Amino acid sequence: MSQSLCSTCRSINFRKYSYESRFRAIRLGSWRGISNRDGCLFCSLVRDAILSNEHRPSSKSIIKLSNRKSWKCCTSFNEYHGIRRWDYSNEFDLQAYASKTNTLSRYQFDLYWESYSGERTHVYLRPLRPGPFFGRIVDRDHADLALCKRWLDVCDEYHSGPMEQCIGKKTSRRFLQDCLRLIDVKNMVIVRSSSSRTEYVALTYVWGEDKLKRERPLGWEMPRTLSAAVCTDEYGVETIDLPKELPRTVRDAIAVTRSLEYGYLWVDSLCIIQDDKQDQDLQIGMMDEIYSNATLTIAAGSGLHADWGLPGISRRRRYAQRSEIVDGVELAVEFPSFEELNSGTSLVWNTRGWTLQEKMLSKRLLLFTDFQVYFRCPNSVCAEDIVMEAGALSTTIKRRQNPFAWGASRLEEPALLDQVGDFLTLENWKLTDKNWKLAFLPNYVALISEYTRRTFSFSQDRLKAIYGVLRTLDPSERAFPGGLPRAWLAETLLWQPRDDSKYAIDTKTIGMPTWSWAAWSLSEGCVWSEYARPDAISGSEPLTTIHVQGDGGSANSYCVWTSYKTLFGSKKTTADSLSKNARQLLKSSGTMLSFVTSICIIRIGEATYEQNISDDALQTYYLMDSERYRVGKIWTCDRVARSRRDHQFIALSSRKTGIAIKDAVADMHIPKYIDGNGGSKNSPATNWRAINVMLVDWKGDVAFRVAVGQVISTAWNEETTKLVYLG
């Protein structure tokens, strides 16, 4: 065996490093050297491990070998809790499980290298041995459904307490009992749900009709339920026969549902009458109820279309588990973690707009991929390739309740126990945690930042496909005009595309105002660069009225009650006071804002730094006054910056700090203060007052968003005010 290892690898005690910490890393050599090293079993395994990672080292990168506690390598967090995401993880449960099973000192082999920026990339090799936190053999051809059933049983047994309940009470009894259709997987027929307590499995998958039609015979259509298939007997009982030919993903989901001993399955294409608009609107409007009340959701993570099938069920998984016996220790290359796939774009399912709310609102998720099957419930994450299905949950006061759950309860003031835990563990006592009202904004930002990166077959679905999740954030009526939260409208109007991303107004989106992210095509999604700063918005913003196009052509108006100061006027507008032009444009945009605010003419100067990017990609430009002195910044693209010399800006709100424009304001515009010697000095940027501004185009008396920026208040003319309709 020693002859199958190179001289470097022969010096490594592989068995020892499965159980003992390695303080100093072993230098295996440069990536180029390892790539060219033939005949060494371990170097071959190292090559395969690194090539399986999306990040590759440079030829000169030094590959190092260390080890890390195995239970720590299994830690996952929930990225949808914004700036508090690290607080919501399974860390404490895994540690408690490792302590209980005496496996705290089991290690994984850690391969890592550093980039030019100093950032480390890690790849793990897992010892394949029995017991917790060691690796497990993954069958490439067959998903281990018996293991999946065990995950569900562990969840049922250990996650059923009053505070840690993964499957809670049904949230909409009337809808579930009267309107929900389900596939009876035993009798292979679609029936109405007989009770609000009926257990059912839901399927989330990609339809992919365009790809599907290219692969199937000419004239083939995606099987779906139509009105003509609905049969009602003399007692009013409705049944629907399944289509003779089902897409392979649906067939596989039925097989998995049976294997896991459930009786019913919900599939959108079959359980919604596709040619009945009334039924479609009802069911789509209740998607949050459907997925949040499902006992389990099966996710076809790797499917390109509905006939793709589930890997490990009807099709072979694309990736095989690479392993090797090295010096008596069998090591396997890790598959991507659930966290990595959950927040990445390698799965087509994870790039589609409709699937985000299906993923987030599902209490228990069984994710089928070309690597393996993963399981996630509100309290745990499991995978086929490593033993980490912990039993009882940790009882430490520092643990968050249901760390992987998504729901309105996350946004409320936490329980006293959690507040005490924050106080006792000072590292968790963040500034934003002190003001629990700020919990909403980071969660909304984390959600929409990912959502706007996803793709749609029909761009007009952008608001429909996120409605269910938004309703968990705030179920009240009129809570999200244009997809922006009414309670945080001043802050969320300041969204901008990600740096270097292409963006343009989407002409296909009907009923979307330009101030909403939903009206734009954003190649990399949108962000709020300073949303977490508690002093980002000072409370100075105009008294804003929201106008919504109602049924029958009427316009409904309601006010966002905010504070306002001298920068803004206080006139409230109503539907009756809308101008003729504004009323006409409201019919097409669906939602409009109106407020009295100040308007300034400002020039756009040169880019803050040179970039070789597209004319339609976002970058930062200086804003200039009439004398060409710098007064702030704007986030826009070269095409807009070069369109004309002078631009019209409207004031949206103000900030208590000018940190974001610290290097973009000429000395003459910086506020001064008198020091102790009577001299004049520049105030620090933290004391500047900055105006959040929007560059607009006008159609008559209605303004339309082009871009947003910031201007130092000393350079802003507050005298010219006007009633602005923002459409």
Side-chain angles (χ1 to χ4, degrees):
M1 178 62 67
S2 61
Q3 293 180 352
S4 63
L5 299 175
C6 66
S7 58
T8 300
C9 297
R10 278 199 300 270
S11 66
I12 302 173
N13 189 333
F14 291 97
R15 185 176 298 275
K16 178 180 179 181
Y17 296 142
S18 296
Y19 294 97
E20 294 183 16
S21 175
R22 174 83 193 181
F23 292 104
R24 294 187 62 184
I26 299 171
R27 294 168 62 94
L28 297 179
S30 70
W31 173 234
R32 176 187 293 171
I34 293 174
S35 299
N36 295 329
R37 199 177 293 165
D38 296 325
C40 177
L41 279 175
F42 188 65
C43 287
S44 172
L45 191 63
V46 169
R47 284 197 300 271
D48 287 350
I50 292 175
L51 290 173
S52 71
N53 193 280
E54 62 177 334
H55 302 290
R56 304 289 171 81
S58 67
S59 60
K60 296 181 180 180
S61 294
I62 301 300
I63 309 302
K64 298 179 181 179
L65 173 67
S66 186
N67 62 2
R68 188 179 177 192
K69 286 191 174 182
S70 192
W71 71 267
K72 288 187 176 181
C73 296
C74 300
T75 303
S76 294
F77 68 88
N78 192 332
E79 71 271 30
Y80 299 114
H81 293 310
I83 56 179
R84 303 189 70 196
R85 59 189 178 274
W86 292 107
D87 293 336
Y88 292 94
S89 77
N90 58 350
E91 175 185 2
F92 298 115
D93 297 327
L94 295 179
Q95 186 176 21
Y97 182 47
S99 178
K100 179 181 178 181
T101 55
N102 298 314
T103 56
L104 285 169
S105 295
R106 289 187 174 177
Y107 289 84
Q108 295 186 28
F109 287 63
D110 180 11
L111 298 167
Y112 69 90
W113 63 93
E114 294 181 357
S115 63
Y116 290 115
S117 63
E119 184 177 352
R120 284 189 181 185
T121 301
H122 295 262
V123 176
Y124 297 108
L125 298 174
R126 290 173 173 156
L128 295 177
R129 293 181 179 178
F133 303 111
F134 274 149
R136 188 159 43 197
I137 295 295
V138 176
D139 187 331
R140 187 177 182 184
D141 294 306
H142 303 287
D144 191 342
L145 294 182
L147 176 61
C148 296
K149 182 68 168 62
R150 191 154 77 245
W151 292 337
L152 291 163
D153 291 342
V154 168
C155 178
D156 288 336
E157 181 177 357
Y158 293 104
H159 307 166
S160 57
M163 302 299 291
E164 310 292 350
Q165 196 165 12
C166 291
I167 301 297
K169 297 179 179 179
K170 303 299 183 183
T171 59
S172 182
R173 295 181 181 275
R174 182 176 179 182
F175 172 77
L176 293 174
Q177 186 169 348
D178 297 342
C179 304
L180 187 67
R181 298 184 187 87
L182 299 168
I183 300 172
D184 180 334
V185 298
K186 179 181 179 180
N187 299 309
M188 294 299 286
V189 65
I190 301 172
V191 297
R192 290 275 190 178
S193 173
S194 59
S195 168
S196 62
R197 290 180 290 275
T198 299
E199 286 193 333
Y200 64 93
V201 176
L203 175 65
T204 172
Y205 64 113
V206 175
W207 282 32
E209 286 191 274
D210 291 341
K211 293 186 179 69
L212 195 52
K213 288 179 179 179
R214 289 196 293 267
E215 295 184 13
R216 299 303 295 260
L218 187 65
W220 187 89
E221 292 290 339
M222 168 86 171
R224 63 192 78 197
T225 296
L226 303 177
S227 302
V230 180
C231 298
T232 305
D233 64 17
E234 58 183 313
Y235 301 105
V237 177
E238 177 189 287
T239 57
I240 303 172
D241 290 331
L242 286 172
K244 293 181 179 179
E245 184 180 12
L246 292 174
R248 190 154 54 144
T249 299
V250 176
R251 294 202 309 268
D252 288 353
I254 290 173
V256 172
T257 301
R258 288 175 182 158
S259 179
L260 297 178
E261 301 178 7
Y262 294 112
Y264 298 95
L265 174 69
W266 185 88
V267 180
D268 55 359
S269 60
L270 301 174
C271 297
I272 300 175
I273 309 300
Q274 298 296 321
D275 60 348
D276 184 335
K277 187 177 185 306
Q278 184 177 359
D279 189 71
Q280 274 193 319
D281 290 345
L282 172 65
Q283 302 279 344
I284 290 174
M286 301 300 289
M287 293 284 267
D288 55 328
E289 300 285 353
I290 292 170
Y291 281 96
S292 64
N293 285 305
T295 302
L296 174 71
T297 296
I298 295 171
S302 295
L304 300 182
H305 51 66
D307 202 43
W308 190 261
L310 296 177
I313 304 299
S314 67
R315 66 181 296 130
R316 195 181 203 199
R317 296 188 261 212
R318 181 179 177 185
Y319 302 101
Q321 186 183 39
R322 173 75 164 91
S323 65
E324 201 69 71
I325 299 176
V326 182
D327 198 19
V329 178
E330 187 172 10
L331 297 171
V333 178
E334 66 157 353
F335 280 136
S337 66
F338 174 81
E339 181 182 302
E340 183 180 342
L341 293 178
N342 191 46
S343 58
T345 57
S346 59
L347 303 179
V348 175
W349 170 79
N350 217 27
T351 66
R352 301 293 290 167
W354 279 100
T355 60
L356 178 63
Q357 72 172 4
E358 296 165 7
K359 175 176 76 171
M360 293 182 64
L361 296 175
S362 297
K363 287 187 172 67
R364 302 199 294 189
L365 187 77
L366 203 60
L367 176 62
F368 286 79
T369 75
D370 272 322
F371 301 100
Q372 60 179 330
V373 179
Y374 302 83
F375 174 73
R376 186 267 295 154
C377 71
N379 289 288
S380 66
V381 170
C382 300
E384 284 184 274
D385 71 338
I386 188 165
V387 182
M388 58 178 177
E389 42 271 8
L393 303 173
S394 171
T395 57
T396 176
I397 196 172
K398 295 184 287 186
R399 183 187 186 273
R400 301 287 180 184
Q401 295 173 10
N402 301 308
F404 298 111
W406 170 267
S409 59
R410 277 286 181 272
L411 311 173
E412 299 169 353
E413 183 170 337
L416 179 61
L417 188 64
D418 279 341
Q419 295 186 51
V420 173
D422 269 346
F423 182 74
L424 295 178
T425 57
L426 297 180
E427 70 275 10
N428 291 331
W429 188 247
K430 300 181 181 66
L431 175 64
T432 46
D433 285 347
K434 294 179 182 178
N435 185 350
W436 295 104
K437 293 181 180 179
L438 283 179
F440 178 98
L441 191 56
N443 281 267
Y444 175 84
V445 165
L447 168 70
I448 301 301
S449 293
E450 176 180 336
Y451 181 68
T452 50
R453 303 178 76 172
R454 293 178 168 235
T455 59
F456 292 86
S457 298
F458 305 100
S459 55
Q460 57 267 33
D461 287 346
R462 284 199 187 108
L463 284 184
K464 290 180 185 178
I466 198 65
Y467 174 73
V469 177
L470 293 180
R471 193 159 62 177
T472 68
L473 289 169
D474 188 341
S476 60
E477 189 181 1
R478 298 174 172 176
F480 293 94
L484 273 61
R486 174 184 176 184
W488 295 90
L489 192 61
E491 290 81 359
T492 52
L493 277 172
L494 304 177
W495 65 266
Q496 61 196 48
R498 292 179 186 270
D499 287 346
D500 303 342
S501 65
K502 294 181 180 179
Y503 69 102
I505 192 74
D506 193 336
T507 56
K508 296 179 182 178
T509 53
I510 302 173
M512 307 278 188
T514 62
W515 43 265
S516 169
W517 45 261
W520 294 74
S521 173
L522 306 164
S523 66
E524 301 297 329
C526 70
V527 294
W528 286 262
S529 59
E530 292 184 88
Y531 74 91
R533 295 190 59 84
D535 53 0
I537 301 294
S538 69
S540 178
E541 61 221 41
L543 185 65
T544 304
T545 305
I546 301 173
H547 307 277
V548 179
Q549 184 67 28
D551 297 333
S554 61
N556 301 315
S557 302
Y558 56 98
C559 192
V560 178
W561 293 104
T562 58
S563 59
Y564 51 90
K565 298 179 182 177
T566 56
L567 179 64
F568 309 103
S570 59
K571 180 180 179 181
K572 179 183 176 183
T573 54
T574 64
D576 294 335
S577 63
L578 289 176
S579 68
K580 182 179 180 181
N581 184 40
R583 192 182 298 276
Q584 183 176 358
L585 286 169
L586 177 61
K587 292 180 180 179
S588 60
S589 69
T591 311
M592 180 181 293
L593 306 179
S594 66
F595 46 85
V596 176
T597 190
S598 51
I599 302 175
C600 274
I601 304 295
I602 302 178
R603 295 182 178 183
I604 299 179
E606 71 277 11
T608 56
Y609 61 96
E610 291 296 328
Q611 297 184 81
N612 184 22
I613 57 178
S614 163
D615 287 352
D616 292 315
L618 186 85
Q619 58 181 319
T620 311
Y621 294 83
Y622 292 114
L623 291 176
M624 324 286 287
D625 64 14
S626 59
E627 302 297 323
R628 301 198 64 81
Y629 288 105
R630 292 176 181 174
V631 297
K633 289 181 181 179
I634 186 172
W635 291 269
T636 187
C637 63
D638 196 54
R639 174 180 49 79
V640 171
R642 291 188 288 104
S643 63
R644 55 183 180 269
R645 295 183 62 187
D646 297 329
H647 301 263
Q648 282 203 343
F649 289 80
I650 62 173
L652 295 177
S653 53
S654 70
R655 296 175 184 260
K656 293 180 179 178
T657 175
I659 290 177
I661 54 174
K662 179 180 178 181
D663 300 320
V665 178
D667 185 79
M668 64 175 297
H669 289 297
I670 296 176
K672 314 295 181 185
Y673 73 95
I674 305 300
D675 63 16
N677 298 322
S680 177
K681 288 190 175 182
N682 289 341
S683 293
T686 53
N687 293 338
W688 300 356
R689 180 166 168 256
I691 310 299
N692 297 309
V693 297
M694 180 181 287
L695 171 62
V696 295
D697 275 339
W698 296 89
K699 291 183 180 178
D701 56 353
V702 179
F704 296 90
R705 174 194 161 117
V706 178
V708 295
Q710 289 183 36
V711 176
I712 186 73
S713 61
T714 55
W716 184 263
N717 180 7
E718 300 182 2
E719 295 179 0
T720 306
T721 60
K722 178 181 178 180
L723 173 61
V724 173
Y725 299 110
L726 188 60

